[in-house]
Amino acid sequence: MRISELSRRSGVPSATIKFYLREGLLPAGRATAATQAEYSEAHLRRLRLIRALIGVRGLTVNATREVLNAVCEYEADIHQVLGLVLGARPVGEAVRSDDGPGAPDVNALVAHMGWQISEYAPARRVIAETLESLRSLGADFDWRTLIPYAQLARQTAVLDLDQLRDTDDLVERAERAVLLTVLLEPALLALRRMAQEHESALRHGT
Amino acid sequence: MRISELSRRSGVPSATIKFYLREGLLPAGRATAATQAEYSEAHLRRLRLIRALIGVRGLTVNATREVLNAVCEYEADIHQVLGLVLGARPVGEAVRSDDGPGAPDVNALVAHMGWQISEYAPARRVIAETLESLRSLGADFDWRTLIPYAQLARQTAVLDLDQLRDTDDLVERAERAVLLTVLLEPALLALRRMAQEHESALRHGT
């Protein structure tokens, strides 16, 4: 297909596609004339993944390039690829997240759940900071209080991974993983707020 | 207690407490001398709620004043109070969230779940926007796909409300509701990311 059709089918403007080509995020098309190139379905899938990483996950162009390179490197390993696109595994410089304040609590939670979690996963730090905040505000809440929440998160993750079963193409699956994980985040919090309102009505409503 | 003790026990600096007094968020203490006043446990509880609304929920001073006034008005009605402090019910100007693009899908989801949700709940709009985004990006995802997620959100809300059972004091319960709801949000998303990593390792790991 020509760049105009690639633009139409991806929803990404031609000027942006040209920028991605110059930046080396998208490989060049097959030249068919001095100023024309032909693009494939593989270009389309890769373009969609680029859009998800930049537009939805908010990565920089450089970080996106690193993720895409690593996706190619781990081509056959969907687990590595998902870890990369979702940020569980670091690209480039690695910062350990399993020490520092609050980290022992997170380690205890992860061990209790029997989870295999990278020591670099930024999620570890987020949970440690939440527990610290609640403690500093005097709330009676520790890692054990998080156990039932973690069990529900586990079930949510099963739903998430089920959503990725429909496609065998690795790049498409990576794109879908980014969309579903990142875009669903505000909706999942909104569902919790609505469910709280309903549960409160059941318990205390008139 | 004196203002210095109120500061120590709440963790809020004296200068900030004086600001809240001037702004009418915190009622004046009982004057014991020309420049001294005595504060009660009720002041402490109210101060903690103010801190949660401003510092954790990020409300402005004016919005906090409106919420506090409404909390007093609905004193006996914990459901109304929770709705107010968590933002399910509007304070002041009300904006309906049950029409506009995507709203019919949210109405369908709410009806399917059998939930009682205010037509002003901002969460409605968040879910409508998420569904629109996923649709515009070509993801095969509609309100029916959200049903199992909503069921898990329901279970999360039950845990949340259970955390509020320990106290009978309304103001204390309102503060705890804000802390647990807002501060837990990033942690719940982080738990999902970790659970995804684990689930991915189980399905695809070597």
Side-chain angles (χ1 to χ4, degrees):
Chain A
M1 72 192 95
R2 301 266 179 86
I3 196 165
S4 55
E5 196 185 341
L6 187 61
S7 167
R8 192 184 54 74
R9 288 183 58 193
S10 64
V12 177
S14 293
T16 308
I17 297 177
K18 285 174 186 163
F19 170 73
Y20 293 160
L21 286 163
R22 281 199 305 279
E23 289 286 335
L25 297 184
L26 199 62
R30 190 171 52 83
T32 52
T35 60
Q36 256 177 26
E38 188 68 17
Y39 299 91
S40 64
E41 295 293 322
H43 281 96
L44 180 61
R45 285 192 294 269
R46 189 168 163 117
L47 182 55
R48 288 199 169 125
L49 177 56
I50 294 167
R51 180 189 54 181
L53 291 172
I54 293 180
V56 175
R57 235 197 95 191
L59 292 189
T60 63
V61 167
N62 284 337
T64 301
R65 190 185 296 109
E66 286 188 63
V67 169
L68 290 170
N69 290 342
V71 165
C72 293
E73 199 180 314
Y74 289 119
E75 206 173 317
D77 188 341
I78 177 73
H79 177 55
Q80 293 285 348
V81 167
L82 289 182
L84 280 164
V85 295
L86 297 177
R89 262 136 229 284
V91 181
E93 201 185 354
V95 182
R96 287 182 73 109
S97 297
D98 65 338
D99 49 20
D105 285 351
V106 179
N107 292 338
L109 176 66
V110 168
H112 178 90
M113 296 300 296
W115 286 353
Q116 304 174 38
I117 306 296
S118 160
E119 62 268 40
Y120 300 101
R124 289 175 171 273
R125 180 77 62 208
V126 174
I127 293 169
E129 282 167 3
T130 302
L131 290 172
E132 287 292 307
S133 299
L134 283 165
R135 193 169 317 167
S136 75
L137 293 168
D140 176 25
F141 199 96
D142 67 10
W143 70 268
R144 285 177 194 81
T145 329
L146 279 181
I147 294 171
Y149 288 101
Q151 286 160 344
L152 292 173
R154 179 86 175 72
Q155 294 181 54
T156 306
V158 169
L159 292 177
D160 293 331
L161 273 283
D162 283 351
Q163 305 286 330
L164 305 179
R165 279 185 312 203
D166 296 344
T167 171
D168 284 332
D169 182 83
L170 184 80
V171 172
E172 213 172 303
R173 229 197 257 205
E175 183 227 350
R176 205 170 157 83
V178 175
L179 292 190
L180 289 182
T181 298
V182 181
L183 287 183
L184 271 193
E185 289 186 340
L188 296 183
L189 297 179
L191 285 174
R192 175 182 177 224
R193 294 281 186 118
M194 294 212 299
Q196 285 179 335
E197 187 184 347
H198 175 68
E199 181 65 21
S200 165
L202 287 188
R203 295 192 189 194
H204 312 296
T206 46
Chain B
M1 72 191 94
R2 300 268 179 85
I3 195 165
S4 55
E5 196 186 340
L6 187 61
S7 168
R8 190 184 54 75
R9 287 183 58 192
S10 64
V12 177
S14 293
T16 309
I17 297 177
K18 286 174 186 162
F19 170 73
Y20 293 159
L21 286 164
R22 283 198 303 279
E23 288 287 335
L25 297 183
L26 199 61
R30 189 172 53 83
T32 52
T35 59
Q36 257 177 26
E38 187 68 17
Y39 298 91
S40 65
E41 294 295 320
H43 280 95
L44 180 62
R45 285 192 295 269
R46 191 169 163 116
L47 182 56
R48 287 198 170 127
L49 176 57
I50 295 168
R51 180 190 54 181
L53 292 171
I54 294 181
V56 175
R57 236 198 95 193
L59 293 189
T60 64
V61 167
N62 283 337
T64 301
R65 190 186 296 109
E66 287 188 64
V67 169
L68 290 170
N69 289 342
V71 165
C72 293
E73 199 181 315
Y74 289 118
E75 206 175 316
D77 188 341
I78 178 73
H79 177 55
Q80 293 284 350
V81 167
L82 290 181
L84 280 163
V85 294
L86 297 177
R89 262 136 229 282
V91 181
E93 202 185 354
V95 182
R96 286 183 74 110
S97 297
D98 64 339
D99 48 19
D105 284 351
V106 179
N107 292 339
L109 177 65
V110 168
H112 178 91
M113 297 300 295
W115 287 353
Q116 304 173 41
I117 307 294
S118 160
E119 61 269 39
Y120 300 100
R124 288 173 171 273
R125 181 78 64 209
V126 174
I127 293 169
E129 282 167 3
T130 301
L131 290 172
E132 287 292 306
S133 299
L134 283 165
R135 192 169 319 167
S136 75
L137 293 168
D140 176 26
F141 198 96
D142 68 8
W143 69 267
R144 285 175 195 82
T145 329
L146 278 181
I147 294 171
Y149 288 101
Q151 287 161 343
L152 292 173
R154 179 85 175 74
Q155 295 181 52
T156 306
V158 169
L159 293 178
D160 293 332
L161 273 281
D162 282 353
Q163 305 285 330
L164 305 179
R165 280 184 313 202
D166 296 344
T167 170
D168 284 332
D169 183 83
L170 184 80
V171 172
E172 213 172 302
R173 230 198 257 203
E175 182 227 350
R176 203 171 158 84
V178 175
L179 292 190
L180 288 182
T181 298
V182 181
L183 288 183
L184 272 192
E185 288 186 340
L188 296 183
L189 297 179
L191 285 174
R192 176 181 177 228
R193 294 283 186 115
M194 294 212 299
Q196 284 179 335
E197 186 183 346
H198 176 68
E199 182 63 22
S200 166
L202 287 188
R203 296 193 189 193
H204 312 296
T206 45

